């Protein structure tokens, strides 16, 4: 009991001294950019980049840090002004509600100290969020809604096919219009209650990853301890996600969960941010067999930008990972899945995306293939599968 009281006192002190200072310090430390912009590419690559109609990224955790996404920041990787500077049409903003200290790639206990609790308190969030994962989740959902509303007609919260079509049409006249979607990283955010899935759907969530860095009520994580597949609860949630039209994100899922979902889901899946084992042999990455099964399911695979997913040096390995998926199953199944602002060091922020185009060009990709990778595949996937 004394230890618990001491823990509460420490958290309260963090709250008192940390608002507006601790979150900025933590993010600067956890989300570095290895090379600051502006970024230079060849005239040919820049010309191709300028002709891209729809650039999209499948994974960004910027909502976690309490930054104002309406303002251009000097830290982190993504905000709305930098999206416009990079001509990015659509970003999938993902919610992290709990993360174990250390984020070990090999094994984490679900009882490990939670990194997000002190951050939640230091950001000055309501005490109702301090120890509630669903409240943290709904709070971040509301934050994205508010950021979008602050942009007036210059931003669209994409919850449906109609919203996406509105974004596509709006950008034909005004490239300043951007879109934002909402996902959840780790089904533990639902706190084991199916009704909470309906709540997050109502809040705008359209993608949920069953597990993150530890096992939970859905089943096993790629970085957990059990290695198990879907639990009975997990199977019920997957069925309900199919009914509602929420995409299933297989990033961080155990191989057993990947197999279960590909067998049970009636809808195509997403792997929002990953690497491939052919480039970096890591348990968080996809095997060739998994890639082939995801493609057969009609899914889409977002390649991440950081060393623990692709290896070092990052940029050549990002390109190699994209090329491997293309060569194995076809270019139509691969996309960008940066994991920007996800407690990772990246080689460039969102304004450095032209470097991807130059890398693909140098690897022999055609302009049509580059367009597909940079966002057309995501646009097609969403148009085909959003309700």
């Amino acid at each position: 009991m004394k230890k618990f009281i001491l823990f509460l006192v420490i958290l309260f002190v963090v709250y008192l001294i940390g608002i507006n200072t601790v979150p900025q310090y933590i993010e600067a430390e956890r989300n570095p950019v290895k090379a600051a912009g502006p970024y230079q590419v060849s005239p040919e690559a820049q010309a191709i980049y300028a002709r891209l109609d729809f650039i999209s990224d499948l994974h960004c955790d910027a909502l976690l840090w309490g930054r104002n996404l309406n303002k251009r920041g000097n830290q982190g990787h993504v905000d709305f002004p930098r999206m416009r500077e990079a001509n990015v049409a659509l970003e999938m903003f993902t919610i992290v509600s709990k993360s174990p200290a250390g984020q070990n790639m090999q094994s984490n206990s679900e009882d490990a100290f939670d990194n997000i609790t002190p951050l939640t308190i230091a950001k000055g969030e309501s005490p109702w969020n301090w120890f509630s994962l669903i409240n943290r989740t709904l709070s971040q959902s509301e934050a994205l809604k508010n950021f979008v509303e602050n942009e007036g007609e210059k931003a669209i919260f994409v919850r449906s096919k109609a919203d996406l079509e509105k974004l596509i049409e709006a950008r034909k006249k005004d490239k300043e219009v951007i879109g934002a979607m909402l996902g959840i990283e780790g089904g533990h955010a639902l706190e084991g209650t199916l009704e909470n899935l309906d709540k997050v759907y109502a809040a705008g969530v359209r993608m949920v990853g069953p597990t993150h860095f530890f096992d939970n009520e859905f089943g096993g994580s790629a970085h957990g301890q059990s290695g198990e597949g879907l639990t009975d609860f997990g199977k019920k949630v997957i069925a309900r996600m199919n009914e509602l039209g929420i995409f299933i994100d297989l990033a961080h899922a155990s191989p057993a969960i990947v197999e279960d979902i590909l067998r049970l889901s009636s809808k195509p899946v997403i792997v929002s941010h990953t690497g491939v084992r052919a480039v970096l042999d890591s348990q968080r990455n996809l095997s060739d067999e998994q890639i082939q099964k995801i493609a057969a399911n009609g899914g889409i695979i977002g390649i991440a930008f950081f060393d623990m997913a692709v290896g070092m040096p990052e940029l050549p390995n990002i390109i190699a990972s994209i090329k491997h998926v293309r060569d194995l199953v076809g270019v139509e199944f691969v996309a960008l899945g940066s994991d920007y602002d996800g407690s990772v060091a990246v080689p460039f922020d969102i304004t450095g995306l032209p470097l991807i185009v130059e890398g693909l060009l140098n690897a022999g990709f055609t302009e049509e293939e580059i367009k597909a990778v940079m966002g057309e595949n995501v646009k097609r996937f969403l148009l085909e599968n959003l309700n």
Side-chain angles (χ1 to χ4, degrees), residues 141-214:
S141 303
E142 184 70 14
L144 181 62
K145 175 176 173 285
N146 291 337
F147 289 137
V148 170
E149 288 179 351
N150 289 342
E151 297 285 327
E153 295 183 355
K154 295 290 187 177
I156 296 171
F157 194 165
V158 176
R159 303 175 179 88
S160 65
K161 180 179 178 180
D163 290 335
L164 180 61
E165 290 171 336
K166 180 180 177 182
L167 173 65
I168 293 166
E169 287 302 310
R171 285 182 58 82
K172 290 178 180 179
K173 299 176 183 178
D174 184 359
K175 294 294 186 183
E176 293 285 300
V177 180
I178 57 174
M181 291 189 70
L182 190 58
I184 290 175
E185 194 159 22
H188 47 267
L190 304 181
E191 296 183 335
T193 304
L194 191 59
E195 288 76 11
N196 281 338
L197 184 69
D198 293 282
K199 288 183 181 180
V200 300
Y201 178 82
V205 169
R206 294 298 178 268
M207 183 180 79
V208 175
T211 57
H212 193 202
F213 269 96
F214 53 90

Side-chain angles (χ1 to χ4, degrees), residues 257-383:
I257 279 190
V258 172
E259 289 294 321
D260 285 346
I261 287 174
L262 290 175
R263 185 178 68 255
L264 294 172
S265 177
S266 62
K267 301 291 180 65
V269 301
I270 291 174
V271 188
S272 69
H273 60 305
T274 189
V276 299
R277 294 196 180 190
V279 174
L280 181 68
D281 189 10
S282 165
Q283 68 194 71
R284 83 164 320 282
N285 288 346
L286 297 176
S287 68
D288 284 0
E289 182 182 5
Q290 288 173 325
I291 293 168
Q292 289 167 330
K293 288 181 177 180
I294 290 163
N297 161 272
I300 192 165
I301 297 167
I303 298 299
F305 291 1
F306 61 100
D307 59 356
M308 288 182 289
V310 297
M312 294 179 67
E314 293 95 341
L315 181 56
N317 285 348
I318 294 167
I319 303 305
S321 301
I322 292 170
K323 185 176 185 298
H324 183 76
V325 176
R326 182 201 66 176
D327 293 348
L328 185 65
V329 294
V331 75
E332 64 268 32
F333 299 105
V334 64
L336 306 182
S338 66
D339 201 17
Y340 276 145
D341 293 311
S343 291
V344 292
V346 293
F348 45 82
D349 72 5
I350 198 168
T351 64
L353 291 181
L355 294 167
I356 301 285
V357 169
E358 183 161 63
L360 294 172
L361 189 62
N362 292 340
F365 282 63
T366 67
E367 183 166 345
E368 283 303 306
E369 288 177 321
I370 292 171
K371 286 176 65 178
V373 172
M374 296 300 292
E376 290 295 325
N377 286 342
V378 170
K379 181 172 76 173
R380 185 202 69 249
F381 179 88
L382 295 176
L383 286 172

Side-chain angles (χ1 to χ4, degrees), residues 208-230:
V208 175
T211 57
H212 193 202
F213 269 96
F214 53 90
D215 304 334
N216 62 28
E217 297 92 344
F218 276 72
S221 163
H223 325 277
Q225 297 178 323
S226 73
E228 293 178 351
L230 287 172

